[in-house]
Amino acid sequence: MMKQLDYARMSEVFARFAAAEPEPKGELDHTNAFTLLVAVALSAQATDAGVNKATRGLFAIADTPQKMLDLGLDGLTEQIKTIGLFRQKAKNVIRLSEILVERFGGEVPSSRAALMSLPGVGRKTANVVLNIWFHYPAQAVDTHIFRIGNRTGLCPGRDVEAVERAIEDNVPVQYQGHAHHWLILHGRYICTARKPRCADCLIRDICQFEEKTA
């Protein structure tokens, strides 16, 4: 496994990310904690652009758990049918809406354990909600972060939880709040899977990836 970058180089990496994009944002459209939770749950194995297209109309009529229940399973299914795995996702959203109403007073809880008790909500989804809505420095590790964490030596790990711990343990605290956003965007647009754009990379001289592209 690639060796973790030392503290000085980690600090320089995130200082560069911060200088280039001081306030990075998630790319899923939402208006409140509930719509964020639903959008992230729907985004599994789907693109953010595809989810945003489907939820534009959905959230205009169902932006709370009760309104989602009022829309019903058939109505929700119709709204999100362009998203992959839409039937199972619709069932999960209806059930999590029921649980939010029954157990949490219609509010999205702010603990990881409570979020992960909801259908269709795993650790990554919970961490996205905790980070974006509740401003907790949770690290949501997706395929982009897992790839570049290991490729660059920034936060290597054998699985997503190991990479998550590497970010939490080694990224300087002042960058923790935005760390996963910078890494996701870097992996999505620069350090891409098949042909990374090394010539356009802010951290080319620090990255440990040996097969840099021209």
Side-chain angles (χ1 to χ4, degrees):
M1 183 180 296
M2 187 172 288
K3 185 179 179 181
Q4 181 88 36
L5 291 182
D6 61 48
Y7 179 79
R9 289 193 291 173
M10 287 286 284
S11 297
E12 177 62 21
V13 165
F14 285 93
R16 292 183 190 183
F17 284 151
E21 186 68 51
E23 295 292 333
K25 305 294 182 183
E27 296 185 323
L28 287 170
D29 294 339
H30 61 281
T31 58
N32 56 30
F34 176 69
T35 55
L36 174 61
L37 174 64
V38 172
V40 181
L42 293 177
S43 71
Q45 300 183 49
T47 65
D48 288 358
V51 172
N52 289 340
K53 184 177 180 180
T55 58
R56 194 170 297 122
L58 172 63
F59 293 157
I61 57 176
D63 61 354
T64 69
Q66 188 57 58
K67 289 180 182 178
M68 193 66 73
L69 294 177
D70 294 341
L71 178 62
L73 179 59
D74 290 343
L76 172 57
T77 301
E78 180 64 24
Q79 289 285 336
I80 66 169
K81 63 184 180 182
T82 58
I83 300 175
L85 306 176
F86 68 95
R87 295 188 188 280
Q88 184 58 51
K89 289 177 180 178
K91 293 177 182 178
N92 287 340
V93 170
I94 290 297
R95 182 56 186 145
L96 74 80
S97 297
E98 291 175 343
I99 294 172
L100 289 175
V101 170
E102 294 169 359
R103 301 182 191 172
F104 299 102
E107 300 294 326
V108 174
S110 59
S111 84
R112 184 182 288 117
L115 286 166
M116 290 179 64
S117 72
L118 301 171
V121 179
R123 188 178 183 89
K124 185 186 77 172
T125 295
N127 281 351
V128 172
V129 174
L130 291 174
N131 182 284
I132 293 178
W133 193 259
F134 295 106
H135 307 295
Y136 180 79
Q139 309 301 331
V141 177
D142 68 353
T143 55
H144 296 298
I145 294 180
F146 183 77
R147 178 180 69 254
I148 69 171
N150 284 287
R151 174 188 279 173
T152 64
L154 284 172
C155 40
R158 296 185 183 280
D159 53 43
V160 294
E161 290 196 21
V163 171
E164 180 183 327
R165 288 194 299 273
I167 297 172
E168 292 174 345
D169 291 346
N170 296 288
V171 174
V173 68
Q174 67 266 35
Y175 303 122
Q176 288 276 336
H178 291 317
H180 95 272
H181 283 122
W182 285 316
L183 293 170
I184 287 173
L185 294 172
H186 191 65
R188 186 172 289 170
Y189 298 112
I190 301 297
C191 196
T192 52
R194 294 188 178 181
K195 190 176 181 180
R197 295 170 51 200
C198 298
D200 301 320
C201 179
L202 288 172
I203 62 168
R204 178 187 173 97
D205 58 315
I206 301 174
C207 167
Q208 295 183 10
F209 182 49
E210 295 181 356
E211 301 173 20
K212 291 184 173 68
T213 60

